[in-house]
Amino acid sequence: VRFSFDPQAETPPVGHAEMTPTSPLAPFAAKLHRLVGLNDAALADIDAWPHRTTRVSAGRYLVREGTRVVECCILVDGYAYCQKTAGDGGRQIVSFHLPGDILDLQHLLLDYADHSVQTMTDAVIAWVPVKVMREAALTHRAICEAFWRDSLVDASIFRESVLNVGRRDARARVAHLLCEFVTRRAATRVDGRISFALPMTQEQIADATGLTPVHVNRTLQSLGADGLITRDRRQIVIDNWDRLRAAADFNPAYLHLGQPA
Amino acid sequence: VRFSFDPQAETPPVGHAEMTPTSPLAPFAAKLHRLVGLNDAALADIDAWPHRTTRVSAGRYLVREGTRVVECCILVDGYAYCQKTAGDGGRQIVSFHLPGDILDLQHLLLDYADHSVQTMTDAVIAWVPVKVMREAALTHRAICEAFWRDSLVDASIFRESVLNVGRRDARARVAHLLCEFVTRRAATRVDGRISFALPMTQEQIADATGLTPVHVNRTLQSLGADGLITRDRRQIVIDNWDRLRAAADFNPAYLHLGQPA
DNA sequence: CGACAACTTGACGGGCGTCAACCGGAGTGG
DNA sequence: CCACTCCGGTTGACGCCCGTCAAGTTGTCG
């Protein structure tokens, strides 16, 4: 099943989270439900979490490296990423996040942030006290397991990132980023092709792949020239998924989708 | 305290794990105890885990990428590392491990291995059924927290690895590897200098840093020529910790030592 | 219409990869 | 005790992928 993997066909089933549908935490609860399957008590617990919701513009810091964290942030809408800064000022984006993702789960157990979290686009963020989430994890076995599993999947994605920047050339790195994005985010499929709007600038792609913006630009052009993708501004169409996946050396197993306990 | 960090001075306190001292799981229990502090019941539980111990020669696979895992392996003695393989055959070492480390904690919740685990030297391994460890995590809150926290620290190390291979040059990457090694492993200090035996070949250093063996060799020579280290075979002496740390852009915060809950 | 950010293009250079030869110590067998 | 082998380490020559620098273009927003 690995080689015939199709990002569109295998969209994981969205559970019917029985909580207030209009709650900003709904996409988050749905994600947890996908991870382990939550019972009604757990869903009710999440629904009752005290939280505040804020609207944040693109490029804002949600967490700063080195600071102490007392609130976890959950991405309700928009895109965000985690980054680390090198001593010479170089920036490395270590992960990007979609609506429903919890952005700093590690702060439930680690007091100090070892990386920063920043919005990639205008976004809606729900803030929940760390204490509340810790308590929920201790009370509900399923929530604990969902959190833990989510941490483990994150770690797996990091491992793949190390491989990506450590052992693949620019072409594969950029292609891999595109493949991961469309696989994690359900993309719309038009006329047999996969089409989506990439929310990041080429500079951000560069910081995620360990390249320079100039070279990212050339690499994207090269992918286009070879008929793998078509671009119109940040709108991207994948013309040939199989060839892009091959160029990216992309195997979605590391995302650990489709095995919800 | 960060910038004056000294790997020898800040060795975390080893708890008095009250379990059978001769048990192969003793170093593992000691590590968990450092992470969260275990009560006697938890320690007794670990002491009673059914397990088998095997002696393994260097270079053997303990876990293979893509396989289903039913036993967790704990490193009792020796060194090991985790690796992923790229489509073109390139290898990326994503982490290395010391005695007491659990090598595949993620398999408590993820069914399939997304990477391989291999011994770096001759080693002693304790194998514990996944079911037993899952049960222990569900029974003892402290064990659950220790496992989870361990996963989170691992993830933090992966993030730093992404930064290392993505945004630092060869000199900094190799220096960073050395710094991380002496910080995680308590090195012996002789005459004000830090001395230790590096268990890995230059090829393995290359696979961990995303370089080639040839360039690793030149980089090590360069570090030696600049008076940062002295080498005699794989025995390494750090002549100037501060300069090496600066060259490595090394900040040990990402290891999350010294905050045992 | 001006300002700005993002993108694009070209010229040039260097860090690191590649290839290949050689060395040196450890283990092995005669 | 000495050849032989093998793995790991070392060295040199050469070249390419990607970084750097800098100018120019496009789209957007006020």
Side-chain angles (χ1 to χ4, degrees):
Chain A
V1 72
R2 289 228 181 103
F3 279 119
S4 65
F5 182 84
D6 177 290
Q8 190 62 13
E10 235 176 274
T11 301
V14 176
H16 297 294
E18 299 184 21
M19 56 186 290
T20 317
T22 57
S23 165
L25 298 182
F28 165 69
K31 178 185 175 174
L32 291 192
H33 192 59
R34 275 199 305 274
L35 280 171
V36 296
L38 299 176
N39 59 26
D40 289 348
L43 287 169
D45 190 309
I46 294 175
D47 202 15
W49 283 356
H51 64 274
R52 60 194 180 86
T53 307
T54 60
R55 191 168 291 274
V56 186
S57 61
R60 287 299 182 76
Y61 279 89
L62 303 177
V63 177
R64 278 188 191 270
E65 192 172 344
T67 59
R68 203 183 183 90
V69 179
V70 295
E71 276 184 324
C72 274
C73 41
I74 293 168
L75 187 57
V76 177
D77 193 37
Y79 295 94
Y81 56 87
C82 297
Q83 64 163 64
K84 295 188 67 125
T85 308
D88 65 354
R91 180 176 72 159
Q92 178 69 46
I93 293 179
V94 297
S95 62
F96 59 85
H97 293 280
L98 317 179
D101 284 1
I102 174 164
L103 298 175
D104 55 349
L105 193 51
Q106 65 277 352
H107 297 132
L108 295 201
L109 289 174
L110 304 177
D111 287 340
Y112 289 94
D114 57 70
H115 62 279
S116 301
V117 182
Q118 231 175 328
T119 51
M120 190 149 59
T121 63
D122 292 351
V124 177
I125 307 292
W127 303 84
V128 182
V130 163
K131 280 185 71 169
V132 169
M133 295 184 61
R134 279 181 62 103
E135 197 54 44
L138 292 173
T139 310
H140 298 276
R141 180 172 297 193
I143 291 181
C144 177
E145 206 165 310
F147 283 174
W148 189 2
R149 179 187 285 262
D150 191 50
S151 315
L152 292 174
V153 172
D154 272 357
S156 175
I157 294 175
F158 292 138
R159 284 190 289 270
E160 184 72 18
S161 282
V162 176
L163 173 62
N164 204 36
V165 295
R167 282 292 179 228
R168 292 201 261 252
D169 63 15
R171 185 181 176 83
R173 288 187 214 179
V174 172
H176 197 278
L177 179 77
L178 297 179
C179 287
E180 178 171 329
F181 188 81
V182 300
T183 304
R184 284 175 58 189
R185 177 192 185 285
T188 57
R189 180 177 271 258
V190 178
D191 196 24
R193 293 194 181 84
I194 299 164
S195 173
F196 62 100
L198 200 62
M200 40 192 128
T201 66
Q202 292 181 5
E203 182 171 14
Q204 288 164 340
I205 298 176
D207 285 337
T209 51
L211 300 168
T212 55
V214 173
H215 203 67
V216 166
N217 182 280
R218 292 179 172 132
T219 305
L220 285 171
Q221 288 184 48
S222 158
L223 291 174
D226 294 347
L228 305 187
I229 62 174
T230 331
R231 292 180 304 139
D232 177 30
R233 313 175 135 281
R234 293 191 199 162
Q235 194 68 28
I236 299 206
V237 178
I238 296 179
D239 297 315
N240 191 324
W241 170 253
D242 285 338
R243 284 183 60 207
L244 184 68
R245 196 186 43 63
D249 188 22
F250 180 75
N251 178 337
Y254 74 94
L255 293 172
H256 293 282
L257 304 170
Q259 47 161 313
Chain B
V1 71
R2 288 227 181 104
F3 279 118
S4 64
F5 181 84
D6 177 291
Q8 188 62 13
E10 234 177 274
T11 302
V14 176
H16 298 295
E18 301 186 18
M19 55 186 291
T20 317
T22 58
S23 165
L25 299 182
F28 165 69
K31 179 184 177 176
L32 292 192
H33 192 59
R34 276 199 303 274
L35 280 170
V36 297
L38 299 176
N39 59 26
D40 290 347
L43 286 170
D45 191 309
I46 294 175
D47 201 16
W49 282 356
H51 64 273
R52 59 193 180 86
T53 308
T54 60
R55 192 169 289 275
V56 186
S57 60
R60 288 295 183 76
Y61 279 89
L62 303 177
V63 178
R64 277 188 191 270
E65 193 170 343
T67 59
R68 202 184 181 87
V69 179
V70 295
E71 276 183 323
C72 274
C73 41
I74 293 168
L75 187 57
V76 177
D77 193 37
Y79 295 94
Y81 57 86
C82 298
Q83 65 164 64
K84 295 188 69 126
T85 308
D88 65 354
R91 179 176 73 161
Q92 178 70 44
I93 292 178
V94 297
S95 63
F96 60 85
H97 293 281
L98 317 179
D101 283 1
I102 175 165
L103 298 175
D104 56 350
L105 194 50
Q106 64 278 354
H107 296 131
L108 295 200
L109 290 174
L110 304 178
D111 287 342
Y112 289 94
D114 56 71
H115 63 279
S116 301
V117 182
Q118 231 175 330
T119 51
M120 191 149 59
T121 62
D122 291 352
V124 177
I125 307 291
W127 303 85
V128 183
V130 163
K131 281 186 69 168
V132 169
M133 294 182 62
R134 279 181 62 103
E135 196 54 44
L138 292 173
T139 310
H140 297 276
R141 177 172 300 193
I143 291 181
C144 177
E145 204 165 311
F147 283 174
W148 188 1
R149 178 187 285 261
D150 191 50
S151 316
L152 292 173
V153 172
D154 271 358
S156 175
I157 295 176
F158 291 138
R159 285 190 288 270
E160 183 72 19
S161 281
V162 177
L163 173 62
N164 204 37
V165 297
R167 280 293 179 226
R168 292 202 260 252
D169 63 14
R171 186 183 175 82
R173 288 187 215 178
V174 173
H176 198 278
L177 180 76
L178 297 179
C179 286
E180 178 172 328
F181 188 81
V182 300
T183 303
R184 284 175 58 189
R185 176 193 186 285
T188 58
R189 178 178 272 258
V190 177
D191 196 23
R193 293 194 180 84
I194 298 164
S195 173
F196 60 100
L198 200 62
M200 40 192 127
T201 66
Q202 292 181 4
E203 183 170 15
Q204 288 165 342
I205 297 175
D207 285 336
T209 52
L211 300 167
T212 55
V214 174
H215 204 67
V216 166
N217 183 281
R218 291 179 173 131
T219 305
L220 284 171
Q221 289 183 46
S222 157
L223 291 174
D226 295 346
L228 305 187
I229 62 173
T230 336
R231 292 181 304 140
D232 176 29
R233 311 173 136 283
R234 293 193 200 160
Q235 193 66 30
I236 298 205
V237 177
I238 297 181
D239 296 317
N240 191 325
W241 170 253
D242 285 338
R243 285 183 60 206
L244 184 68
R245 195 185 44 63
D249 188 24
F250 180 75
N251 178 337
Y254 74 95
L255 292 172
H256 293 282
L257 302 170
Q259 48 160 313

